[in-house]
Amino acid sequence: MAKDFNNQQVVEGYDQHIRKLIPGYELIHLQVHAILTAYLNPQAEILVVGCGTGYELQYLAERFPQWRFTAIDPAINMLEKAQQHIQQLGLEQNITFVHGDTSVLAQIDKKFDAALAILVSHFVVYEHKANFFQEIAQSLTPNGLCISYDLMQLGNAKQAQVLKQMVQLTGLAEAQADAMLARLENDFFLMDLLAFKQVLLQSGFNQVEQFSQVLSYAGLIAFKAID
């Protein structure tokens, strides 16, 4: 059964569980921080697609108080958790929360300098992936970029075993690791890296660069303009 991100138990345990589930979770945010610093101006509009419980927003808002953020999430309980978290920290001044998937972007009257889709698109069904990224691309400025970090298709059974070992080393029990692998068939819609890059190039982006890989998790930057 696919994980329900509106389930309150899932929401409350998400931040602790994700750090065990995703190898190099903290490194993802360090890399995003470095990329955004290198590419964006001091004043920037940032779109966060699938904001989850708000950790990503907190991390960026604390480090870039001059930037403005729009956070969307289709799971209302996740979105409300993020909004509550941000308000408790007093960081809400430059953050707008919107309930919905990427289809709501057409209703937002602004263009973004960067979009973040971190650990999101591997949940998007195959037939909707191109539209998912196309809607993001259309929401960006002409020189905008999208940073994506997702699980790619596992090439063989050994890669699955390696992933299982890694998540156990980061804190998952063996039963939890087995459950994670079993969920890949129900929760995830995985593509190989080359096919994933092609989806980005067919969705309104003109240049794609890989910036990271930890096992089968890969980070990509997609640019609307060619450098």
Side-chain angles (χ1 to χ4, degrees), residues 73-95:
D73 202 297
I76 188 61
N77 284 354
M78 278 288 194
L79 190 76
E80 290 176 349
K81 175 72 173 181
Q83 191 167 14
Q84 181 184 41
H85 178 65
I86 291 299
Q87 287 174 344
Q88 288 174 343
L89 295 170
L91 296 171
E92 70 274 15
Q93 181 177 357
N94 291 329
I95 301 177

PDB file of all heavy atoms in Angstrom, residues 73-95:
ATOM      1  N   ASP A  73       2.211  21.904  -1.655  1.00  0.00           N
ATOM      2  CA  ASP A  73       2.176  20.476  -1.328  1.00  0.00           C
ATOM      3  C   ASP A  73       0.746  19.990  -1.510  1.00  0.00           C
ATOM      4  O   ASP A  73      -0.190  20.666  -1.074  1.00  0.00           O
ATOM      5  CB  ASP A  73       2.629  20.219   0.111  1.00  0.00           C
ATOM      6  CG  ASP A  73       3.119  18.790   0.305  1.00  0.00           C
ATOM      7  OD1 ASP A  73       2.297  17.852   0.139  1.00  0.00           O
ATOM      8  OD2 ASP A  73       4.311  18.592   0.611  1.00  0.00           O
ATOM      9  N   PRO A  74       0.547  18.832  -2.158  1.00  0.00           N
ATOM     10  CA  PRO A  74      -0.805  18.321  -2.348  1.00  0.00           C
ATOM     11  C   PRO A  74      -1.407  17.689  -1.093  1.00  0.00           C
ATOM     12  O   PRO A  74      -2.623  17.484  -1.029  1.00  0.00           O
ATOM     13  CB  PRO A  74      -0.633  17.273  -3.454  1.00  0.00           C
ATOM     14  CG  PRO A  74       0.776  16.810  -3.311  1.00  0.00           C
ATOM     15  CD  PRO A  74       1.549  18.026  -2.858  1.00  0.00           C
ATOM     16  N   ALA A  75      -0.562  17.376  -0.103  1.00  0.00           N
ATOM     17  CA  ALA A  75      -1.046  16.773   1.147  1.00  0.00           C
ATOM     18  C   ALA A  75      -1.308  17.882   2.154  1.00  0.00           C
ATOM     19  O   ALA A  75      -0.372  18.509   2.658  1.00  0.00           O
ATOM     20  CB  ALA A  75      -0.028  15.778   1.680  1.00  0.00           C
ATOM     21  N   ILE A  76      -2.574  18.129   2.466  1.00  0.00           N
ATOM     22  CA  ILE A  76      -2.927  19.262   3.321  1.00  0.00           C
ATOM     23  C   ILE A  76      -2.333  19.142   4.710  1.00  0.00           C
ATOM     24  O   ILE A  76      -1.921  20.148   5.304  1.00  0.00           O
ATOM     25  CB  ILE A  76      -4.468  19.438   3.387  1.00  0.00           C
ATOM     26  CG1 ILE A  76      -4.838  20.721   4.120  1.00  0.00           C
ATOM     27  CG2 ILE A  76      -5.131  18.220   3.998  1.00  0.00           C
ATOM     28  CD1 ILE A  76      -4.335  21.988   3.482  1.00  0.00           C
ATOM     29  N   ASN A  77      -2.253  17.931   5.266  1.00  0.00           N
ATOM     30  CA  ASN A  77      -1.693  17.773   6.604  1.00  0.00           C
ATOM     31  C   ASN A  77      -0.202  18.087   6.622  1.00  0.00           C
ATOM     32  O   ASN A  77       0.315  18.666   7.594  1.00  0.00           O
ATOM     33  CB  ASN A  77      -1.938  16.357   7.131  1.00  0.00           C
ATOM     34  CG  ASN A  77      -3.371  16.140   7.574  1.00  0.00           C
ATOM     35  OD1 ASN A  77      -4.157  17.085   7.597  1.00  0.00           O
ATOM     36  ND2 ASN A  77      -3.727  14.919   7.913  1.00  0.00           N
ATOM     37  N   MET A  78       0.503  17.727   5.564  1.00  0.00           N
ATOM     38  CA  MET A  78       1.920  18.083   5.455  1.00  0.00           C
ATOM     39  C   MET A  78       2.064  19.598   5.362  1.00  0.00           C
ATOM     40  O   MET A  78       2.907  20.201   6.036  1.00  0.00           O
ATOM     41  CB  MET A  78       2.542  17.424   4.222  1.00  0.00           C
ATOM     42  CG  MET A  78       2.966  16.001   4.412  1.00  0.00           C
ATOM     43  SD  MET A  78       4.441  15.855   5.465  1.00  0.00           S
ATOM     44  CE  MET A  78       4.906  14.148   5.131  1.00  0.00           C
ATOM     45  N   LEU A  79       1.258  20.208   4.521  1.00  0.00           N
ATOM     46  CA  LEU A  79       1.342  21.652   4.325  1.00  0.00           C
ATOM     47  C   LEU A  79       1.057  22.396   5.627  1.00  0.00           C
ATOM     48  O   LEU A  79       1.769  23.344   5.984  1.00  0.00           O
ATOM     49  CB  LEU A  79       0.354  22.090   3.242  1.00  0.00           C
ATOM     50  CG  LEU A  79       0.503  23.533   2.765  1.00  0.00           C
ATOM     51  CD1 LEU A  79       1.709  23.658   1.840  1.00  0.00           C
ATOM     52  CD2 LEU A  79      -0.760  23.985   2.025  1.00  0.00           C
ATOM     53  N   GLU A  80       0.033  21.965   6.355  1.00  0.00           N
ATOM     54  CA  GLU A  80      -0.301  22.626   7.621  1.00  0.00           C
ATOM     55  C   GLU A  80       0.790  22.416   8.665  1.00  0.00           C
ATOM     56  O   GLU A  80       1.075  23.314   9.463  1.00  0.00           O
ATOM     57  CB  GLU A  80      -1.645  22.107   8.124  1.00  0.00           C
ATOM     58  CG  GLU A  80      -2.821  22.578   7.274  1.00  0.00           C
ATOM     59  CD  GLU A  80      -4.141  21.983   7.711  1.00  0.00           C
ATOM     60  OE1 GLU A  80      -4.135  21.036   8.548  1.00  0.00           O
ATOM     61  OE2 GLU A  80      -5.190  22.457   7.227  1.00  0.00           O
ATOM     62  N   LYS A  81       1.413  21.237   8.660  1.00  0.00           N
ATOM     63  CA  LYS A  81       2.538  20.980   9.564  1.00  0.00           C
ATOM     64  C   LYS A  81       3.693  21.924   9.249  1.00  0.00           C
ATOM     65  O   LYS A  81       4.311  22.510  10.160  1.00  0.00           O
ATOM     66  CB  LYS A  81       2.998  19.526   9.417  1.00  0.00           C
ATOM     67  CG  LYS A  81       4.235  19.158  10.217  1.00  0.00           C
ATOM     68  CD  LYS A  81       3.949  19.080  11.699  1.00  0.00           C
ATOM     69  CE  LYS A  81       5.150  18.537  12.457  1.00  0.00           C
ATOM     70  NZ  LYS A  81       4.907  18.420  13.908  1.00  0.00           N
ATOM     71  N   ALA A  82       3.996  22.107   7.966  1.00  0.00           N
ATOM     72  CA  ALA A  82       5.070  23.013   7.553  1.00  0.00           C
ATOM     73  C   ALA A  82       4.745  24.445   7.961  1.00  0.00           C
ATOM     74  O   ALA A  82       5.607  25.172   8.477  1.00  0.00           O
ATOM     75  CB  ALA A  82       5.276  22.928   6.046  1.00  0.00           C
ATOM     76  N   GLN A  83       3.518  24.867   7.733  1.00  0.00           N
ATOM     77  CA  GLN A  83       3.115  26.233   8.067  1.00  0.00           C
ATOM     78  C   GLN A  83       3.221  26.479   9.568  1.00  0.00           C
ATOM     79  O   GLN A  83       3.729  27.522  10.003  1.00  0.00           O
ATOM     80  CB  GLN A  83       1.690  26.470   7.589  1.00  0.00           C
ATOM     81  CG  GLN A  83       1.257  27.916   7.635  1.00  0.00           C
ATOM     82  CD  GLN A  83      -0.034  28.148   6.865  1.00  0.00           C
ATOM     83  OE1 GLN A  83      -0.743  27.210   6.503  1.00  0.00           O
ATOM     84  NE2 GLN A  83      -0.331  29.400   6.584  1.00  0.00           N
ATOM     85  N   GLN A  84       2.776  25.525  10.359  1.00  0.00           N
ATOM     86  CA  GLN A  84       2.875  25.640  11.814  1.00  0.00           C
ATOM     87  C   GLN A  84       4.332  25.703  12.255  1.00  0.00           C
ATOM     88  O   GLN A  84       4.709  26.524  13.116  1.00  0.00           O
ATOM     89  CB  GLN A  84       2.170  24.456  12.471  1.00  0.00           C
ATOM     90  CG  GLN A  84       2.191  24.483  14.000  1.00  0.00           C
ATOM     91  CD  GLN A  84       1.576  23.239  14.603  1.00  0.00           C
ATOM     92  OE1 GLN A  84       1.804  22.127  14.109  1.00  0.00           O
ATOM     93  NE2 GLN A  84       0.792  23.389  15.650  1.00  0.00           N
ATOM     94  N   HIS A  85       5.158  24.857  11.674  1.00  0.00           N
ATOM     95  CA  HIS A  85       6.579  24.809  12.016  1.00  0.00           C
ATOM     96  C   HIS A  85       7.256  26.144  11.713  1.00  0.00           C
ATOM     97  O   HIS A  85       8.001  26.684  12.550  1.00  0.00           O
ATOM     98  CB  HIS A  85       7.250  23.687  11.231  1.00  0.00           C
ATOM     99  CG  HIS A  85       8.717  23.549  11.457  1.00  0.00           C
ATOM    100  ND1 HIS A  85       9.262  23.183  12.669  1.00  0.00           N
ATOM    101  CD2 HIS A  85       9.784  23.737  10.616  1.00  0.00           C
ATOM    102  CE1 HIS A  85      10.585  23.156  12.576  1.00  0.00           C
ATOM    103  NE2 HIS A  85      10.920  23.487  11.339  1.00  0.00           N
ATOM    104  N   ILE A  86       6.977  26.686  10.545  1.00  0.00           N
ATOM    105  CA  ILE A  86       7.582  27.955  10.138  1.00  0.00           C
ATOM    106  C   ILE A  86       7.097  29.101  11.020  1.00  0.00           C
ATOM    107  O   ILE A  86       7.883  29.985  11.411  1.00  0.00           O
ATOM    108  CB  ILE A  86       7.279  28.229   8.648  1.00  0.00           C
ATOM    109  CG1 ILE A  86       8.035  27.236   7.759  1.00  0.00           C
ATOM    110  CG2 ILE A  86       7.627  29.663   8.275  1.00  0.00           C
ATOM    111  CD1 ILE A  86       9.532  27.281   7.862  1.00  0.00           C
ATOM    112  N   GLN A  87       5.836  29.106  11.366  1.00  0.00           N
ATOM    113  CA  GLN A  87       5.292  30.159  12.223  1.00  0.00           C
ATOM    114  C   GLN A  87       5.896  30.103  13.617  1.00  0.00           C
ATOM    115  O   GLN A  87       6.185  31.146  14.220  1.00  0.00           O
ATOM    116  CB  GLN A  87       3.773  30.037  12.288  1.00  0.00           C
ATOM    117  CG  GLN A  87       3.063  30.457  11.009  1.00  0.00           C
ATOM    118  CD  GLN A  87       1.575  30.202  11.041  1.00  0.00           C
ATOM    119  OE1 GLN A  87       1.072  29.454  11.882  1.00  0.00           O
ATOM    120  NE2 GLN A  87       0.852  30.811  10.121  1.00  0.00           N
ATOM    121  N   GLN A  88       6.109  28.915  14.131  1.00  0.00           N
ATOM    122  CA  GLN A  88       6.713  28.774  15.461  1.00  0.00           C
ATOM    123  C   GLN A  88       8.131  29.325  15.492  1.00  0.00           C
ATOM    124  O   GLN A  88       8.594  29.803  16.537  1.00  0.00           O
ATOM    125  CB  GLN A  88       6.705  27.302  15.882  1.00  0.00           C
ATOM    126  CG  GLN A  88       5.325  26.770  16.242  1.00  0.00           C
ATOM    127  CD  GLN A  88       5.331  25.276  16.512  1.00  0.00           C
ATOM    128  OE1 GLN A  88       6.270  24.556  16.144  1.00  0.00           O
ATOM    129  NE2 GLN A  88       4.282  24.789  17.151  1.00  0.00           N
ATOM    130  N   LEU A  89       8.798  29.288  14.351  1.00  0.00           N
ATOM    131  CA  LEU A  89      10.166  29.800  14.262  1.00  0.00           C
ATOM    132  C   LEU A  89      10.211  31.279  13.896  1.00  0.00           C
ATOM    133  O   LEU A  89      11.288  31.875  13.855  1.00  0.00           O
ATOM    134  CB  LEU A  89      10.952  28.999  13.221  1.00  0.00           C
ATOM    135  CG  LEU A  89      11.188  27.526  13.549  1.00  0.00           C
ATOM    136  CD1 LEU A  89      11.747  26.793  12.345  1.00  0.00           C
ATOM    137  CD2 LEU A  89      12.131  27.387  14.737  1.00  0.00           C
ATOM    138  N   GLY A  90       9.053  31.861  13.604  1.00  0.00           N
ATOM    139  CA  GLY A  90       8.998  33.270  13.226  1.00  0.00           C
ATOM    140  C   GLY A  90       9.572  33.557  11.853  1.00  0.00           C
ATOM    141  O   GLY A  90      10.065  34.659  11.595  1.00  0.00           O
ATOM    142  N   LEU A  91       9.458  32.592  10.946  1.00  0.00           N
ATOM    143  CA  LEU A  91      10.049  32.735   9.615  1.00  0.00           C
ATOM    144  C   LEU A  91       9.009  32.946   8.525  1.00  0.00           C
ATOM    145  O   LEU A  91       9.329  32.914   7.333  1.00  0.00           O
ATOM    146  CB  LEU A  91      10.869  31.482   9.270  1.00  0.00           C
ATOM    147  CG  LEU A  91      12.087  31.196  10.154  1.00  0.00           C
ATOM    148  CD1 LEU A  91      12.659  29.818   9.829  1.00  0.00           C
ATOM    149  CD2 LEU A  91      13.152  32.267   9.974  1.00  0.00           C
ATOM    150  N   GLU A  92       7.763  33.189   8.905  1.00  0.00           N
ATOM    151  CA  GLU A  92       6.670  33.186   7.920  1.00  0.00           C
ATOM    152  C   GLU A  92       6.599  34.435   7.052  1.00  0.00           C
ATOM    153  O   GLU A  92       5.870  34.454   6.044  1.00  0.00           O
ATOM    154  CB  GLU A  92       5.320  33.003   8.631  1.00  0.00           C
ATOM    155  CG  GLU A  92       4.856  34.184   9.469  1.00  0.00           C
ATOM    156  CD  GLU A  92       5.403  34.198  10.888  1.00  0.00           C
ATOM    157  OE1 GLU A  92       6.369  33.450  11.176  1.00  0.00           O
ATOM    158  OE2 GLU A  92       4.870  34.958  11.715  1.00  0.00           O
ATOM    159  N   GLN A  93       7.345  35.485   7.365  1.00  0.00           N
ATOM    160  CA  GLN A  93       7.195  36.767   6.680  1.00  0.00           C
ATOM    161  C   GLN A  93       7.368  36.663   5.173  1.00  0.00           C
ATOM    162  O   GLN A  93       6.629  37.279   4.403  1.00  0.00           O
ATOM    163  CB  GLN A  93       8.190  37.779   7.248  1.00  0.00           C
ATOM    164  CG  GLN A  93       8.076  39.159   6.604  1.00  0.00           C
ATOM    165  CD  GLN A  93       9.025  40.166   7.245  1.00  0.00           C
ATOM    166  OE1 GLN A  93       9.724  39.860   8.194  1.00  0.00           O
ATOM    167  NE2 GLN A  93       9.044  41.378   6.712  1.00  0.00           N
ATOM    168  N   ASN A  94       8.328  35.876   4.721  1.00  0.00           N
ATOM    169  CA  ASN A  94       8.636  35.796   3.289  1.00  0.00           C
ATOM    170  C   ASN A  94       8.231  34.462   2.674  1.00  0.00           C
ATOM    171  O   ASN A  94       8.762  34.082   1.629  1.00  0.00           O
ATOM    172  CB  ASN A  94      10.132  36.034   3.051  1.00  0.00           C
ATOM    173  CG  ASN A  94      10.534  37.472   3.334  1.00  0.00           C
ATOM    174  OD1 ASN A  94       9.747  38.390   3.148  1.00  0.00           O
ATOM    175  ND2 ASN A  94      11.755  37.651   3.793  1.00  0.00           N
ATOM    176  N   ILE A  95       7.291  33.755   3.303  1.00  0.00           N
ATOM    177  CA  ILE A  95       6.887  32.441   2.810  1.00  0.00           C
ATOM    178  C   ILE A  95       5.384  32.405   2.594  1.00  0.00           C
ATOM    179  O   ILE A  95       4.605  32.737   3.474  1.00  0.00           O
ATOM    180  CB  ILE A  95       7.302  31.319   3.785  1.00  0.00           C
ATOM    181  CG1 ILE A  95       8.821  31.327   3.998  1.00  0.00           C
ATOM    182  CG2 ILE A  95       6.849  29.962   3.258  1.00  0.00           C
ATOM    183  CD1 ILE A  95       9.308  30.305   5.000  1.00  0.00           C
TER     184      ILE A  95
END
